[in-house]
């Protein structure tokens, strides 16, 4: 367990300015029939910040991710991207800034497409046309970033392991060079050691490229390792939020206490 | 007192067009009465194959290629599956997606009836429902769950209910293959508490618990076996394994764990470089050597077993440390695998 000390990121982050948050939820609720899946949620994500959202299954984490991706619109409240209400952006324009990797990679793959075709299709979101060479370079770069050899471009989903599929989905998002990555349980299919490499990748993207990340997970250990800020969700509401270290140290809300008590200890 | 399960030099593989892929290679371990034996390792290391062997769920393309398995002191016939009368009474399986294995259109009580009916010809629906409800109540779960459909229960509750129903006939052995991977931490703890309760009430007598989650292992298992590329790397008491791992692979696994404790956040934790080998073409000698920071030429030879059957590691470095001097491969050949 050795390695270089890492500075407190929020303090020395060269990418965060005091200006507008990249993404802001202001009193957002989302109702499905009689169920309020997300209730009066407010938080902000600054440029170059990793914000982790934790909570148990069914607490509304994925609904919140879908709202952040503009796949759902809020029933009430407002979501703003760089100060502009999301409705002002066209979906394509929004997706140039915000990209996502969702938890079940098999649901995101067309099983008859090769990795190359899958990646190339996504590039349609961009407004400029890339040349063939540029295309290939971008795809290869993105795959290399997540630790997948570019030779895998010609593979089909069934030839990849669960962990590889999950990493391809992240490469797909990164290839579009978004400013915000919404990652919903991106490590659910990965073993502990691969999980660490992926989280390290997220840390590097933040530190080197100023990428903002909304990481959704039920694993407090992961959230604690990578995030600058922590949001704790319980039954659709954010019951606690703040600097990660402070939330974990102070654990004010009973649900946060419960969540921390349930995390198995290694030693 | 005999062991509930005793595998000796058990080997098995999958028959493929390209030849036999050895998924379990020369595994020797036992499950004792009253204990939870954990089996951990990365994906693709043979954990689930070993679980299938221990449960005698052996169907082509899986084939046993060597070794023996004793269940409750009796040598098992590995050429055929567990005989019907013993399913659910001698041994039950709690699979990963148990919660999705229940028929969504039938109530829990119908599932209980199916389980009991398979073994007791005279059982009525009414008595099956009562027994299931009583058992649920005894274990602190809501008895009314018997009248509910699977979708009316949360994921965690479904998994616990399936665990209760599959142990209605008091099987001596429960094989749990990643039963908690799809659950959030709170539901995981509840499931672990339930398994412990089943053991302390002697409803079941021993559990083989498979997971890749080491912190969870700590809360459930008495002893842990670490598997790598089809072989055992290390086996021992849970505390010893997690606090003072001997095998470099165990150490690397323990080092990759993220827990919400301050030291985790202030350092950069590096995972294990590379990935487990393709079992169709495993490396020679110690299978971990291509990824091991301590490997040298000696590791190209099969490593010796250091320790007794209760607690051991297969590693040249551990062997050297135990003897306080370099060990020549030939000197220990034969004492090892």
């Amino acid at each position: 367990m050795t390695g270089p000390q890492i500075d407190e990121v929020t303090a020395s982050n060269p990418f965060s300015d005091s200006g507008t948050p990249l993404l802001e939820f202001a009193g957002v609720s989302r109702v499905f029939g009689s169920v309020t899946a997300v209730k009066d949620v407010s938080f902000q994500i600054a440029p170059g910040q990793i914000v982790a959202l934790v909570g148990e299954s069914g607490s509304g984490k994925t609904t919140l991710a879908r709202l952040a991706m503009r796949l759902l619109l809020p029933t009430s409240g407002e979501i703003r991207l760089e100060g502009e209400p999301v409705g002002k952006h066209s979906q394509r324009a929004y997706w140039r800034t915000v990209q996502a990797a969702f938890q079940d990679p098999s649901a995101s793959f067309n099983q008859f497409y090769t990795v190359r075709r899958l990646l190339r299709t996504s590039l349609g979101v961009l407004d400029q046309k890339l040349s063939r060479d540029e295309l290939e370079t971008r795809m290869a770069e993105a795959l290399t970033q997540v630790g997948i050899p570019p030779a895998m471009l010609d593979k089909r989903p069934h030839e990849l392991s669960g962990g590889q599929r999950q990493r391809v989905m992240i490469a797909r998002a990164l290839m579009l060079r978004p400013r915000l990555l919404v990652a919903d349980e991106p490590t659910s299919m990965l073993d502990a050691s691969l999980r660490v490499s992926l989280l390290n990748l997220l840390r590097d993207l933040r530190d080197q490229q100023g990428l903002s990340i909304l990481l959704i997970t039920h694993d407090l250990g992961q959230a604690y390792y990578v995030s600058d800020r922590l949001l704790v969700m319980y039954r659709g509401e954010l019951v606690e939020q703040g600097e990660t270290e402070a939330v974990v140290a102070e654990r004010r809300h009973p649900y946060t206490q419960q969540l921390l008590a349930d995390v198995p200890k290694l030693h | 007192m005999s062991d509930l399960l005793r595998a000796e030099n058990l080997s098995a593989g999958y028959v493929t067009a390209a030849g036999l892929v050895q998924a379990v290679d020369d595994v020797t371990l036992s499950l004792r009465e009253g204990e939870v034996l954990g089996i951990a390792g990365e994906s693709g290391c043979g954990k689930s194959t070993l679980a299938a062997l221990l449960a005698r769920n052996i169907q082509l393309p899986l084939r046993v290629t060597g070794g023996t398995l004793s269940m409750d002191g009796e040598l098992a016939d590995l050429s055929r599956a567990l005989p019907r009368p013993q399913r659910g009474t001698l041994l039950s399986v709690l699979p990963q997606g148990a919660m999705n294995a229940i028929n969504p259109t039938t109530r829990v009580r119908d599932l209980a009836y199916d389980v009991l009916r398979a073994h007791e010809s005279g059982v009525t629906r009414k008595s099956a429902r009562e027994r299931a409800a009583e058992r649920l109540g005894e274990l602190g779960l809501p008895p009314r769950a018997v009248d509910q459909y699977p979708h009316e229960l949360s994921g965690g509750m479904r998994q616990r209910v399936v665990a209760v129903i599959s142990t209605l006939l008091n099987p001596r052995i429960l094989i749990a293959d990643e039963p908690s991977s799809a659950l959030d931490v709170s539901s995981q703890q509840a499931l672990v508490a339930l398994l412990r309760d089943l053991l302390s009430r002697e409803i079941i007598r021993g559990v083989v618990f498979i997971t890749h989650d080491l912190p969870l292992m700590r809360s459930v298992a008495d002893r842990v076996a670490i598997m790598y590329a089809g072989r055992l790397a290390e086996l021992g008491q849970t505390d010893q394994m997690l606090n003072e791992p001997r095998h470099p692979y165990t150490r690397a696994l323990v080092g990759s764990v993220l827990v919400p404790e301050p030291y985790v956040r202030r350092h950069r934790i590096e995972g294990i470089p590379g990935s487990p080998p393709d079992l169709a073409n495993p490396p020679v000698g110690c299978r971990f050597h291509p990824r091991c920071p301590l490997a040298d030429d000696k590791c190209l030879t099969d490593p010796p077993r250091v320790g007794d059957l209760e607690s051991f590691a297969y590693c040249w470095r551990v062997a050297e440390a135990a003897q306080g001097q370099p060990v020549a491969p030939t000197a220990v050949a034969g004492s090892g695998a």
Side-chain angles (χ1 to χ4, degrees), chain B residues 4 19 31 69 120 176 192 311 317:
Chain B
L4 289 173
L31 172 69
L69 176 70
E120 301 169 20
V192 164
S311 171
R317 296 292 94 77

Side-chain angles (χ1 to χ4, degrees), chain B residues 2-5 70-75:
Chain B
S2 61
D3 293 327
L4 289 173
L5 283 174
S70 307
M71 301 178 94
D72 225 0
E74 278 180 49
L75 204 60

Side-chain angles (χ1 to χ4, degrees), chain A residues 191 196 200 225 227 262 266, chain B residues 43 184 186 218 265 268-269:
Chain A
D191 287 310
V196 174
N200 285 340
Y225 180 61
S227 69
D262 285 336
L266 186 61
Chain B
S43 309
D184 59 61
S186 308
R218 167 163 215 98
R265 196 174 151 77
R268 187 180 176 95
I269 292 175

Side-chain angles (χ1 to χ4, degrees), chain A residues 1-6 8 55-57 189-197 199-201 203-204 218-228 244-245 248 255 258-260 262-267, chain B residues 41-44 47 181-189 212-216 218-219 242-243 252-272 274-276 291:
Chain A
M1 222 77 64
T2 52
Q5 288 288 119
I6 287 182
E8 258 315 310
E56 62 190 356
S57 320
M189 321 266 288
L190 304 181
D191 287 310
S193 69
L194 277 177
R195 182 178 295 165
V196 174
S197 338
L199 295 175
N200 285 340
L201 170 71
R203 269 162 77 146
D204 293 344
H218 66 260
D219 184 342
L220 252 173
Q222 293 184 41
Y224 185 73
Y225 180 61
V226 296
S227 69
D228 304 309
T244 302
E245 218 138 0
V248 170
Y255 178 66
Q258 173 70 38
L259 201 59
L260 277 156
D262 285 336
V263 175
K265 302 281 178 292
L266 186 61
H267 296 295
Chain B
E42 288 168 283
S43 309
K47 302 191 298 288
S181 315
L183 305 179
D184 59 61
V185 281
S186 308
S187 304
Q188 282 182 355
Q189 288 308 318
H212 60 259
D213 185 346
L214 286 184
L216 184 66
R218 167 163 215 98
S219 56
L242 298 182
N243 293 330
L253 278 183
V254 171
S256 311
V257 170
L258 299 174
V259 283
E261 286 165 18
Y263 72 87
V264 163
R265 196 174 151 77
R266 303 219 175 88
H267 294 89
R268 187 180 176 95
I269 292 175
E270 297 297 342
I272 313 171
S275 47
R291 301 171 75 190

Side-chain angles (χ1 to χ4, degrees), chain A residues 153-263:
Chain A
L153 275 171
D154 294 311
K155 299 273 187 195
R156 286 169 211 276
H158 70 268
E159 297 174 282
L160 306 176
S161 71
Q164 285 173 332
R165 268 181 247 163
Q166 215 151 22
R167 283 180 287 161
V168 168
M169 292 322 295
I170 291 171
R172 189 205 61 77
L174 294 178
M175 188 184 65
L176 301 166
R177 308 205 176 137
R179 298 191 53 206
L180 173 67
L181 175 69
V182 177
D184 187 359
E185 300 275 9
T187 62
S188 57
M189 321 266 288
L190 304 181
D191 287 310
S193 69
L194 277 177
R195 182 178 295 165
V196 174
S197 338
L198 192 94
L199 295 175
N200 285 340
L201 170 71
L202 298 184
R203 269 162 77 146
D204 293 344
L205 288 166
R206 170 194 65 191
D207 297 343
Q208 292 157 19
Q209 302 180 12
L211 181 70
S212 298
I213 299 165
L214 176 61
L215 173 72
I216 295 169
T217 176
H218 66 260
D219 184 342
L220 252 173
Q222 293 184 41
Y224 185 73
Y225 180 61
V226 296
S227 69
D228 304 309
R229 287 181 67 79
L230 190 61
L231 314 176
V232 182
M233 196 163 195
Y234 181 63
R235 301 196 171 168
E237 293 183 68
L238 286 189
V239 294
E240 194 158 346
Q241 63 171 298
E243 303 261 321
T244 302
E245 218 138 0
V247 170
V248 170
E250 290 162 28
R251 39 187 95 173
R252 286 195 219 108
H253 193 277
Y255 178 66
T256 316
Q257 291 159 12
Q258 173 70 38
L259 201 59
L260 277 156
D262 285 336
V263 175

Side-chain angles (χ1 to χ4, degrees), chain B residues 196-229:
Chain B
R196 280 272 159 210
D197 200 18
L198 285 167
L199 264 183
S200 67
R201 287 168 194 272
E202 305 198 350
I203 290 170
I204 52 177
R205 302 311 314 276
V207 180
V208 175
F209 194 98
I210 292 172
T211 179
H212 60 259
D213 185 346
L214 286 184
L216 184 66
M217 232 13 145
R218 167 163 215 98
S219 56
V220 67
D222 299 296
R223 292 189 304 151
V224 177
I226 303 284
M227 273 190 100
Y228 186 75

Side-chain angles (χ1 to χ4, degrees), chain B residues 70-94:
Chain B
S70 307
M71 301 178 94
D72 225 0
E74 278 180 49
L75 204 60
D77 175 2
L78 290 174
S79 64
R80 44 195 282 261
L82 189 67
R84 254 173 192 283
Q86 296 186 338
R87 297 184 199 165
T89 52
L90 174 63
L91 180 144
S92 269
V93 176
L94 184 61

